[in-house]
Amino acid sequence: MSIDDAWRAAFAEFDNSGVDKSIDGILTPTGAGTDAYGDPEFREAVLRIVEERLEEETDRRAWRRGSEVF
């Protein structure tokens, strides 16, 4: 039996009849949420993070390229 077959069998046997499926008590996010995407400060912060990570990745790749030994 493959791992996939074992997983499928275990999934099919799982009994979720005791699981509470009501939506009472589910917390919804407050604050920024999806409305923040239109906020210029939020967009600037995201762009700044992306640019920093891109610069770090570019530097890392340049260092690796220069340190290769053949």
Side-chain angles (χ1 to χ4, degrees):
M1 175 183 287
S2 74
I3 189 84
D4 290 333
D5 293 337
W7 183 86
R8 285 187 186 99
F11 186 75
E13 294 170 6
F14 179 74
D15 177 24
N16 68 351
S17 61
V19 176
D20 180 13
K21 298 175 186 79
S22 67
I23 60 171
D24 297 335
I26 293 179
L27 300 176
T28 55
T30 59
T34 56
D35 295 333
Y37 294 124
D39 182 11
E41 290 180 17
F42 176 79
R43 293 174 63 89
E44 283 296 318
V46 170
L47 287 174
R48 186 171 50 252
I49 292 169
V50 169
E51 288 172 354
E52 288 172 4
R53 300 275 169 88
L54 182 59
E55 185 177 334
E56 290 171 2
E57 181 67 15
T58 302
D59 291 345
R60 185 183 66 80
R61 289 182 183 203
W63 179 84
R64 286 186 65 200
R65 203 175 310 120
S67 63
E68 292 177 353
V69 176
F70 293 97

